[in-house]
Amino acid sequence: RVKEQGKNNFEFYTPEMNEAISKKMKLEIGLRKAIENHELALVYQPQIDLETGKLFGLEALVRWDHHEWGMIPPDEFIALAEETGLILLIGEWVLYSACAQNKALQKEGYPPIRMAVNISSRQFQQPNFAGMVRKVLEDTGLDPMYLELELTESIIQDSQYAISTMHTFKKMGIHLSIDDFGTGYSSLSYLKILPIDTLKIDRSFTRNIFIDPKDASLVSTIITMAHNLGLKVIAEGVETTEQLHFLKQQKCNGAQGYYISKPIPAKEITEAWGRFSCF
Ligand code: C2E
Ligand code: MG
Ligand code: MG
Ligand code: MG
């Protein structure tokens, strides 16, 4: 290693940088193994209809339980998975598992609800992504109307290709939503041209409804705008009864958050059904 202290510093890799790089490499190797060793699992967060108080959907969220490192949150590995392309493998596994889980619930006789799956932009831009989704629906036997793809504003921004893919999904009868709405820097004009069904208000707004009046204004404005455009709205990150009542008052269509339920493992879903008619 070239090391020269002084005016010109030739030390390209500081110990901190080395450590960061090797941590990343370890994580990448671990993630590849996790896929092979089935260390990935899904949890499901209930989504509630604010008018009826009933469960109308679940959002599938990936979890990585490493035998030594313990639980690693998606915020720590999804970006890396995108960078390395591993997201394509993970994403397909997530989609298949979530659709199969939803179909299994229907087979058990539960009323059909929608399963929302997060899609990263690299996944969405992959050639024949729509073909993969179609095959997963065929293989699992899930009706496309019970699948929702959560897209982010970054996906929408660009290409004609992304737009035409969205229309393909729409024609298939798949539900499309914009996740973390309001946090991207994209122009609102896409709302006019894209076949989107639902906006999901980012939890950074929900969190501050009673802390910053400007957040309350933004939340009610997003709801009004969405309704005027013929879209539904779901608020993310509802943690208190006050937030829930504010959202109800503002005619927000749906909500999810710790106040309603944390994300739960599959075996707890059926139990959750009974719980949501209480407000
Ligand atoms: P997201 O799609 O916006 O998902 C919502 C996140 O907020 C989840 O974090 C959820 O556990 C958390 N959350 C829900 N309710 C509350 C609440 O009341 N308070 C607070 N503080 N947090 C709440 P999670 O599961 O850690 O996922 C983080 C992000 O990782 C997700 O954000 C999503 O963008 C990404 N992600 C998760 N699973 C997948 C996946 O299968 N594929 C892709 N591409 N991304 C995923
Ligand atoms: Mg999401
Ligand atoms: Mg997301
Ligand atoms: Mg979100």
Side-chain angles (χ1 to χ4, degrees):
R1 191 174 62 151
V2 185
K3 192 180 161 114
E4 190 189 292
Q5 300 293 351
K7 213 159 52 173
N8 297 313
N9 192 343
F10 294 110
E11 192 183 1
F12 293 111
Y13 296 103
T14 64
E16 292 76 21
M17 280 165 78
N18 273 327
E19 205 180 299
I21 291 165
S22 82
K23 191 182 166 204
K24 207 166 145 180
M25 278 172 62
K26 257 171 128 175
L27 207 61
E28 184 184 341
I29 294 163
L31 195 51
R32 282 182 195 280
K33 286 206 188 117
I35 298 166
E36 290 161 25
N37 299 346
H38 309 285
E39 290 169 358
L40 299 180
L42 291 183
V43 288
Y44 303 89
Q45 189 171 39
Q47 300 177 323
I48 296 301
D49 183 319
L50 283 175
E51 216 176 333
T52 63
K54 292 214 170 96
L55 183 76
F56 76 90
L58 295 167
E59 178 176 0
L61 295 158
V62 69
R63 293 290 177 266
W64 177 13
D65 193 0
H66 188 275
H67 58 95
E68 271 173 46
W69 308 334
M71 205 56 103
I72 303 157
D75 285 332
E76 278 178 35
F77 69 86
I78 290 290
L80 180 72
E82 280 234 346
E83 237 177 85
T84 54
L86 286 170
I87 193 67
L88 301 180
L89 276 176
I90 296 173
E92 188 168 346
W93 177 84
V94 167
L95 186 72
Y96 184 90
S97 308
C99 289
Q101 179 60 60
N102 201 15
K103 184 67 187 179
L105 290 167
Q106 293 177 9
K107 280 188 181 152
E108 281 175 52
Y110 289 91
I113 55 171
R114 216 155 43 220
M115 179 67 77
V117 177
N118 292 282
I119 303 298
S120 79
S121 70
R122 177 138 179 198
Q123 242 184 314
F124 197 83
Q125 264 127 34
Q126 180 196 21
N128 203 32
F129 175 63
M132 186 274 278
V133 174
R134 187 177 277 118
K135 177 147 197 322
V136 165
L137 288 168
E138 276 166 18
D139 290 352
T140 58
L142 184 69
D143 186 323
M145 73 186 286
Y146 299 118
L147 174 63
E148 170 174 328
L149 301 179
E150 292 194 6
L151 314 176
T152 54
E153 290 176 61
S154 63
I155 294 179
I156 297 155
Q157 268 172 11
D158 21 55
S159 60
Q160 200 54 45
Y161 178 68
I163 297 172
S164 81
T165 306
M166 265 180 250
H167 283 284
T168 304
F169 286 131
K170 199 65 234 164
K171 277 192 218 115
M172 289 167 67
I174 292 171
H175 204 91
L176 297 177
S177 62
I178 302 300
D179 203 357
D180 310 330
F181 182 76
T183 59
Y185 290 95
S186 50
S187 126
L188 285 175
S189 60
Y190 74 79
L191 293 176
K192 231 172 28 180
I193 53 166
L194 295 181
I196 287 157
D197 302 285
T198 304
L199 301 183
K200 296 191 73 181
I201 300 178
D202 189 67
R203 69 166 187 268
S204 59
F205 301 114
T206 312
R207 187 195 301 137
N208 293 329
I209 287 173
F210 290 100
I211 295 169
D212 186 343
K214 287 182 177 154
D215 284 288
S217 295
L218 282 171
V219 167
S220 50
T221 304
I222 291 170
I223 294 168
T224 307
M225 177 190 69
H227 288 165
N228 289 340
L229 292 169
L231 305 172
K232 301 267 194 236
V233 200
I234 299 180
E236 300 188 295
V238 178
E239 292 185 352
T240 69
T241 178
E242 290 80 12
Q243 291 166 351
L244 190 84
H245 281 104
F246 176 85
L247 292 161
K248 240 179 109 150
Q249 225 173 36
Q250 301 297 314
K251 303 272 190 294
C252 186
N253 304 93
Q256 69 184 95
Y258 294 167
Y259 179 73
I260 297 153
S261 170
K262 292 210 164 182
I264 52 177
K267 59 181 192 310
E268 289 172 30
I269 296 173
T270 55
E271 199 183 299
W273 239 287
R275 254 190 289 142
F276 304 117
S277 36
C278 48
F279 51 86

